[in-house]
Amino acid sequence: MGIAVKATVVALALALGACGGGESDPTAEAKASALTDEIEVLSVSPSVADAGVPTAFMIKVRYKLATKSSGIIYLGFNGSPERPDSYRLTGDGTVVSGGAGTITLVSTTSPVAHLYPNEFRAYANLSEYPHLDSWSPLASTVATIVVKPMASTTASAQAGALASLPNGATCQMGQCANASGQGTR
């Protein structure tokens, strides 16, 4: 059998093996999983807070950065009853190296009592570092914070307290942008 025929047979065997007739390849699945960036909230403290009262939150996250050599983890909170899936990032983020780890992020904000119960959430995202002014996070996660409403506090006043957070970057539907329009790191 000539070299060209052997190469064709090997290529055909590899192609058929890749198709697998509907069977999954555990080795390929393990390789794909190894190249997935992940972030997960392990704990939130405190997990219950008073609406409109500045509260220091400690959010412990586990991350796996598999596709980049360095990344940055941001923390944010949702602050508008009209847009509960929009998050304002706080602080400058924490730079991490490729691999896996656990970190605790700390930020102070005034929780918002949303129109629906349990819609105040902490948001953490793992992003490439450095990145452009407009970017898509590599992975993100949310954790619900129970907010005890205050009778004298309106939702708009609470949202105003959140608007004064540092950094000013926002994330919505998997897209993030800096308010300043200047480069991030």
Side-chain angles (χ1 to χ4, degrees), residues 4-176:
V5 174
K6 284 183 182 177
T8 302
V9 170
V10 169
L12 182 58
L14 289 173
L16 290 174
C19 293
E23 296 176 19
S24 64
D25 178 1
T27 305
E29 289 174 9
K31 287 180 184 176
S33 174
L35 294 177
T36 302
D37 299 311
E38 301 172 2
I39 189 165
E40 171 190 16
V41 172
L42 299 176
S43 65
V44 176
S45 178
S47 60
V48 177
D50 291 319
V53 176
T55 306
F57 291 99
M58 294 189 320
I59 316 295
K60 185 175 183 179
V61 298
R62 177 180 17 228
Y63 68 91
K64 181 176 83 171
L65 180 59
T67 63
K68 307 291 178 191
S69 60
S70 65
I72 187 165
I73 298 177
Y74 291 107
L75 176 62
F77 300 91
N78 62 340
S80 167
E82 295 79 26
R83 296 174 57 192
D85 290 328
S86 179
Y87 299 88
R88 180 171 300 273
L89 302 181
T90 63
D92 293 326
T94 301
V95 177
V96 295
S97 297
T102 302
I103 64 168
T104 299
L105 306 164
V106 179
S107 183
T108 299
T109 191
S110 297
V112 178
H114 286 283
L115 300 177
Y116 304 102
N118 296 327
E119 282 198 8
F120 187 69
R121 295 184 294 265
Y123 166 86
N125 83 40
L126 174 60
S127 298
E128 181 176 8
Y129 180 81
H131 57 73
L132 301 174
D133 284 343
S134 181
W135 74 99
S136 295
L138 302 170
S140 63
T141 186
V142 296
T144 299
I145 298 169
V146 176
V147 177
K148 297 184 290 185
M150 293 174 50
S152 62
T153 306
T154 65
S156 61
Q158 296 166 26
L162 185 64
S164 65
L165 293 172
N167 192 359
T170 59
C171 292
Q172 184 173 7
M173 297 179 67
Q175 293 295 314
C176 298

